[in-house]
Amino acid sequence: MATFIRFRPLISRAVVTSGVCATLAAGATVGPARAAQAVQDPPAAPSLSALSWEVMDARTGTVLAARAPHLRLPPASTLKTLFAVTLLPRLRQDTVHRATAADLAEVAEGSSEVGVEEGHRYTVADLWRGVFLSSGNDAVHTLAQMNGGLARTLAQMQATARRIGAVDTQVRSPDGFDTPGQFSSAHDLALIAREGFKNPDFRRYMGTKWARFPASGGPGAYEIQNTNRLLVGSHGVEPYPGLIGVKNGYTSQAGTTLVSAATRHGRTVLVTVMNPQDEDFNAVYEESRALLDWGFAAPMPRPARQQAGPQRSAPAAAPAPTRQQPEASPGLGRHLGAATALLVLTCVPFVVRRRMRARRAGR
């Protein structure tokens, strides 16, 4: 009887210890799951009327959300961003040029113009301000002629698009005016703008709100204002806080288009919106505003997991990337190891004593 009295506490101790071990292991395993549940889901992407749009983290190139980002559509004057990325490094900003009839000969009727006049002298910087602020097709064609002609410029623009992975883009005019066979996509325009951010001249021009044309002044000089309403605040559109550019556009075939970027707390969100179906002309600005707000509310992507270049697998309507589940706690292994060791140390005396009693009973 004494044997059983001493034996049962040992069994109880082993059972209790194993229960403690199981509890420790279960707690260590469930902990990360509960932590993951505590992470809030990102807000749902807004519902917009645009045929195509994309939100990109400008620093990493991560697509945060998109709708039909590779749908090929007429880009209108947002294609001027590709023109600028291509030609800005090729022409000195302080070069002075006297405009000629040949410079303006191929400007399409109905184009937006800054007012380049034959015989007047302009610096290259003047012409770039005409491109970015007034969306002047006359300034674009003048710069293209200075670059060696229209054919040369178009070939260089196409090569630039391919180099940066903008494979949805087909160039037929340097200014984005409606031309058969010319198209781009929301994703490509984001790639082009992000490439432009690498050039300090591009960044300066895309964020300029007002300027004198030409900057040297004179009796014929006048003030020009950026036509990007989200940047300057006009025509019933409030300026977006932290907006740094980049380019708006409109043609009868393309509708309204806009590439915009804003910076907040060191983070830059890049948004492209193409052809809103809302009949309000300001819809492209307000839908871009909604996407910028959403982009800043979305979780910041991890640079180490970024993939550069075009993301061809983007879904038609992609919400923010699924949040990363927290990795298992680094202490989990230590908890399990300690629990196992404790169980073994508790059970060993029980096994040894049992064998000793069996030997004594057999004598």
Side-chain angles (χ1 to χ4, degrees):
M1 191 68 180
T3 301
F4 287 101
I5 292 175
R6 296 180 59 190
F7 185 72
R8 291 175 63 187
L10 291 174
I11 296 176
S12 301
R13 184 186 306 172
V15 172
V16 170
T17 303
S18 62
V20 171
C21 296
T23 302
L24 289 173
T29 304
V30 173
R34 289 179 177 174
Q37 293 173 0
V39 178
Q40 295 183 352
D41 289 329
S47 178
L48 307 177
S49 71
L51 294 180
S52 174
W53 56 263
E54 181 172 287
V55 183
M56 177 184 286
D57 181 88
R59 182 173 65 90
T60 63
T62 301
V63 176
L64 303 177
R67 176 187 179 186
H70 297 286
L71 180 63
R72 296 180 174 184
L73 296 169
S77 288
T78 53
L79 194 65
K80 289 182 172 73
T81 56
L82 179 59
F83 177 77
V85 167
T86 303
L87 263 66
L88 272 169
R90 301 174 185 272
L91 302 172
R92 288 177 54 90
Q93 301 297 300
D94 57 356
T95 300
V96 178
H97 175 75
R98 185 185 297 275
T100 66
D103 295 337
L104 308 174
E106 297 187 68
V107 177
E109 184 178 353
S111 292
S112 57
E113 299 182 359
V114 65
V116 176
E117 295 187 17
E118 181 183 350
H120 287 221
R121 297 167 65 87
Y122 305 94
T123 65
V124 166
D126 287 329
L127 296 171
W128 280 120
R129 283 186 284 270
V131 171
F132 276 88
L133 277 67
S134 298
S135 202
N137 291 3
D138 48 353
V140 169
H141 280 266
T142 301
L143 289 166
Q145 292 301 320
M146 294 178 65
N147 184 56
L150 188 59
R152 175 185 174 88
T153 298
L154 293 177
Q156 291 172 346
M157 290 174 65
Q158 193 67 67
T160 299
R162 294 296 177 264
R163 175 176 61 82
I164 65 177
V167 296
D168 297 324
T169 299
Q170 189 66 51
V171 182
R172 292 288 184 267
S173 70
D175 48 30
F177 197 81
D178 291 334
T179 307
Q182 179 165 269
F183 45 79
S184 189
S185 69
H187 183 67
D188 278 15
L189 292 173
L191 291 178
I192 293 165
R194 187 168 180 253
E195 183 71 14
F197 294 167
K198 300 175 183 179
N199 188 312
D201 292 326
F202 187 101
R203 295 197 303 271
R204 182 174 69 256
Y205 292 131
M206 76 176 189
T208 300
K209 298 181 180 181
W210 301 278
R212 293 287 290 174
F213 186 82
S216 59
Y222 48 90
E223 186 175 86
I224 57 176
Q225 176 179 293
N226 201 308
T227 57
N228 184 348
R229 300 177 183 181
L230 205 60
L231 178 66
V232 300
S234 65
H235 299 80
V237 177
E238 291 293 324
Y240 190 84
L243 198 80
I244 58 175
V246 274
K247 191 71 188 74
N248 58 312
Y250 170 78
T251 65
S252 58
Q253 293 183 22
T256 52
T257 58
L258 179 63
V259 182
S260 54
T263 298
R264 184 180 299 172
H265 304 306
R267 181 183 184 186
T268 299
V269 172
L270 176 60
V271 165
T272 53
V273 175
M274 302 187 75
N275 201 350
Q277 299 302 287
D278 189 320
E279 295 182 358
D280 187 343
F281 194 84
N282 285 336
V284 72
Y285 298 105
E286 298 308 327
E287 294 190 6
S288 295
R289 183 193 305 276
L291 290 175
L292 286 167
D293 287 343
W294 182 90
F296 284 116
M300 183 177 295
R302 298 180 180 182
R305 299 189 178 186
Q306 285 315 299
Q307 295 182 356
Q311 300 180 13
R312 302 299 302 172
S313 59
T322 303
R323 64 183 185 279
Q324 297 296 325
Q325 296 292 335
E327 296 179 359
S329 169
L332 175 59
R334 292 195 297 271
H335 288 313
L336 292 176
T340 303
L342 181 60
L343 180 60
V344 171
L345 290 175
T346 303
C347 294
V348 166
F350 165 74
V351 175
V352 171
R353 290 178 184 179
R354 186 176 180 183
R355 289 181 178 178
M356 290 179 65
R357 291 190 186 102
R359 289 176 181 178
R360 290 173 184 174
R363 290 178 181 177

PDB file of all heavy atoms in Angstrom, residues 27-37 325-329 332:
ATOM      1  N   GLY A  27       0.606  28.441 -25.734  1.00  0.00           N
ATOM      2  CA  GLY A  27       0.657  29.903 -25.627  1.00  0.00           C
ATOM      3  C   GLY A  27       1.653  30.498 -26.581  1.00  0.00           C
ATOM      4  O   GLY A  27       1.408  31.539 -27.197  1.00  0.00           O
ATOM      5  N   ALA A  28       2.824  29.844 -26.720  1.00  0.00           N
ATOM      6  CA  ALA A  28       3.837  30.374 -27.633  1.00  0.00           C
ATOM      7  C   ALA A  28       3.376  30.303 -29.066  1.00  0.00           C
ATOM      8  O   ALA A  28       3.723  31.136 -29.896  1.00  0.00           O
ATOM      9  CB  ALA A  28       5.138  29.580 -27.462  1.00  0.00           C
ATOM     10  N   THR A  29       2.566  29.262 -29.388  1.00  0.00           N
ATOM     11  CA  THR A  29       2.101  29.119 -30.755  1.00  0.00           C
ATOM     12  C   THR A  29       0.965  30.071 -31.075  1.00  0.00           C
ATOM     13  O   THR A  29       0.896  30.662 -32.138  1.00  0.00           O
ATOM     14  CB  THR A  29       1.624  27.663 -30.997  1.00  0.00           C
ATOM     15  OG1 THR A  29       2.698  26.791 -30.680  1.00  0.00           O
ATOM     16  CG2 THR A  29       1.197  27.462 -32.434  1.00  0.00           C
ATOM     17  N   VAL A  30       0.035  30.250 -30.126  1.00  0.00           N
ATOM     18  CA  VAL A  30      -1.134  31.076 -30.364  1.00  0.00           C
ATOM     19  C   VAL A  30      -0.792  32.555 -30.318  1.00  0.00           C
ATOM     20  O   VAL A  30      -1.408  33.381 -30.978  1.00  0.00           O
ATOM     21  CB  VAL A  30      -2.240  30.746 -29.328  1.00  0.00           C
ATOM     22  CG1 VAL A  30      -3.402  31.718 -29.444  1.00  0.00           C
ATOM     23  CG2 VAL A  30      -2.717  29.314 -29.517  1.00  0.00           C
ATOM     24  N   GLY A  31       0.289  32.904 -29.572  1.00  0.00           N
ATOM     25  CA  GLY A  31       0.654  34.313 -29.422  1.00  0.00           C
ATOM     26  C   GLY A  31       0.775  35.062 -30.732  1.00  0.00           C
ATOM     27  O   GLY A  31       0.115  36.086 -30.943  1.00  0.00           O
ATOM     28  N   PRO A  32       1.633  34.580 -31.681  1.00  0.00           N
ATOM     29  CA  PRO A  32       1.759  35.286 -32.951  1.00  0.00           C
ATOM     30  C   PRO A  32       0.453  35.369 -33.719  1.00  0.00           C
ATOM     31  O   PRO A  32       0.176  36.351 -34.391  1.00  0.00           O
ATOM     32  CB  PRO A  32       2.802  34.444 -33.710  1.00  0.00           C
ATOM     33  CG  PRO A  32       3.558  33.728 -32.638  1.00  0.00           C
ATOM     34  CD  PRO A  32       2.574  33.470 -31.552  1.00  0.00           C
ATOM     35  N   ALA A  33      -0.389  34.314 -33.631  1.00  0.00           N
ATOM     36  CA  ALA A  33      -1.664  34.353 -34.354  1.00  0.00           C
ATOM     37  C   ALA A  33      -2.540  35.468 -33.821  1.00  0.00           C
ATOM     38  O   ALA A  33      -3.183  36.191 -34.567  1.00  0.00           O
ATOM     39  CB  ALA A  33      -2.371  33.000 -34.227  1.00  0.00           C
ATOM     40  N   ARG A  34      -2.570  35.606 -32.467  1.00  0.00           N
ATOM     41  CA  ARG A  34      -3.363  36.682 -31.902  1.00  0.00           C
ATOM     42  C   ARG A  34      -2.789  38.041 -32.275  1.00  0.00           C
ATOM     43  O   ARG A  34      -3.526  38.998 -32.507  1.00  0.00           O
ATOM     44  CB  ARG A  34      -3.425  36.524 -30.387  1.00  0.00           C
ATOM     45  CG  ARG A  34      -4.277  35.342 -29.949  1.00  0.00           C
ATOM     46  CD  ARG A  34      -4.294  35.196 -28.448  1.00  0.00           C
ATOM     47  NE  ARG A  34      -5.169  34.090 -28.044  1.00  0.00           N
ATOM     48  CZ  ARG A  34      -5.276  33.663 -26.791  1.00  0.00           C
ATOM     49  NH1 ARG A  34      -4.572  34.234 -25.826  1.00  0.00           N
ATOM     50  NH2 ARG A  34      -6.093  32.660 -26.507  1.00  0.00           N
ATOM     51  N   ALA A  35      -1.457  38.131 -32.333  1.00  0.00           N
ATOM     52  CA  ALA A  35      -0.833  39.397 -32.736  1.00  0.00           C
ATOM     53  C   ALA A  35      -1.195  39.732 -34.176  1.00  0.00           C
ATOM     54  O   ALA A  35      -1.424  40.881 -34.525  1.00  0.00           O
ATOM     55  CB  ALA A  35       0.686  39.291 -32.588  1.00  0.00           C
ATOM     56  N   ALA A  36      -1.258  38.670 -35.018  1.00  0.00           N
ATOM     57  CA  ALA A  36      -1.613  38.916 -36.420  1.00  0.00           C
ATOM     58  C   ALA A  36      -3.032  39.436 -36.530  1.00  0.00           C
ATOM     59  O   ALA A  36      -3.336  40.313 -37.334  1.00  0.00           O
ATOM     60  CB  ALA A  36      -1.468  37.621 -37.225  1.00  0.00           C
ATOM     61  N   GLN A  37      -3.941  38.877 -35.686  1.00  0.00           N
ATOM     62  CA  GLN A  37      -5.321  39.325 -35.740  1.00  0.00           C
ATOM     63  C   GLN A  37      -5.461  40.756 -35.274  1.00  0.00           C
ATOM     64  O   GLN A  37      -6.384  41.468 -35.655  1.00  0.00           O
ATOM     65  CB  GLN A  37      -6.187  38.412 -34.872  1.00  0.00           C
ATOM     66  CG  GLN A  37      -6.302  36.994 -35.421  1.00  0.00           C
ATOM     67  CD  GLN A  37      -7.025  36.069 -34.461  1.00  0.00           C
ATOM     68  OE1 GLN A  37      -7.444  36.480 -33.387  1.00  0.00           O
ATOM     69  NE2 GLN A  37      -7.156  34.808 -34.851  1.00  0.00           N
ATOM     70  N   GLN A 325       1.968  38.336 -42.356  1.00  0.00           N
ATOM     71  CA  GLN A 325       1.741  37.762 -41.046  1.00  0.00           C
ATOM     72  C   GLN A 325       3.023  37.866 -40.236  1.00  0.00           C
ATOM     73  O   GLN A 325       4.111  37.572 -40.729  1.00  0.00           O
ATOM     74  CB  GLN A 325       1.339  36.284 -41.168  1.00  0.00           C
ATOM     75  CG  GLN A 325       0.025  36.097 -41.898  1.00  0.00           C
ATOM     76  CD  GLN A 325      -1.143  36.635 -41.108  1.00  0.00           C
ATOM     77  OE1 GLN A 325      -1.060  36.726 -39.893  1.00  0.00           O
ATOM     78  NE2 GLN A 325      -2.206  37.012 -41.782  1.00  0.00           N
ATOM     79  N   PRO A 326       2.921  38.272 -38.967  1.00  0.00           N
ATOM     80  CA  PRO A 326       4.126  38.371 -38.147  1.00  0.00           C
ATOM     81  C   PRO A 326       4.809  37.027 -38.072  1.00  0.00           C
ATOM     82  O   PRO A 326       4.168  35.989 -37.939  1.00  0.00           O
ATOM     83  CB  PRO A 326       3.592  38.803 -36.771  1.00  0.00           C
ATOM     84  CG  PRO A 326       2.248  39.412 -37.063  1.00  0.00           C
ATOM     85  CD  PRO A 326       1.716  38.693 -38.254  1.00  0.00           C
ATOM     86  N   GLU A 327       6.100  37.018 -38.142  1.00  0.00           N
ATOM     87  CA  GLU A 327       6.850  35.784 -38.055  1.00  0.00           C
ATOM     88  C   GLU A 327       6.759  35.237 -36.639  1.00  0.00           C
ATOM     89  O   GLU A 327       6.502  35.960 -35.677  1.00  0.00           O
ATOM     90  CB  GLU A 327       8.309  36.042 -38.446  1.00  0.00           C
ATOM     91  CG  GLU A 327       8.453  36.481 -39.893  1.00  0.00           C
ATOM     92  CD  GLU A 327       9.887  36.738 -40.239  1.00  0.00           C
ATOM     93  OE1 GLU A 327      10.732  36.591 -39.336  1.00  0.00           O
ATOM     94  OE2 GLU A 327      10.161  37.068 -41.399  1.00  0.00           O
ATOM     95  N   ALA A 328       6.963  33.932 -36.510  1.00  0.00           N
ATOM     96  CA  ALA A 328       6.913  33.317 -35.197  1.00  0.00           C
ATOM     97  C   ALA A 328       7.910  33.981 -34.281  1.00  0.00           C
ATOM     98  O   ALA A 328       8.998  34.377 -34.694  1.00  0.00           O
ATOM     99  CB  ALA A 328       7.220  31.817 -35.317  1.00  0.00           C
ATOM    100  N   SER A 329       7.518  34.102 -33.018  1.00  0.00           N
ATOM    101  CA  SER A 329       8.385  34.766 -32.053  1.00  0.00           C
ATOM    102  C   SER A 329       9.707  34.041 -31.954  1.00  0.00           C
ATOM    103  O   SER A 329       9.765  32.811 -31.898  1.00  0.00           O
ATOM    104  CB  SER A 329       7.704  34.784 -30.687  1.00  0.00           C
ATOM    105  OG  SER A 329       8.610  35.190 -29.686  1.00  0.00           O
ATOM    106  N   LEU A 332       9.975  31.361 -29.315  1.00  0.00           N
ATOM    107  CA  LEU A 332       9.153  30.154 -29.334  1.00  0.00           C
ATOM    108  C   LEU A 332       9.998  28.900 -29.183  1.00  0.00           C
ATOM    109  O   LEU A 332       9.674  28.007 -28.409  1.00  0.00           O
ATOM    110  CB  LEU A 332       8.351  30.105 -30.634  1.00  0.00           C
ATOM    111  CG  LEU A 332       7.511  28.833 -30.857  1.00  0.00           C
ATOM    112  CD1 LEU A 332       6.507  28.682 -29.718  1.00  0.00           C
ATOM    113  CD2 LEU A 332       6.799  28.889 -32.197  1.00  0.00           C
TER     114      LEU A 332
END
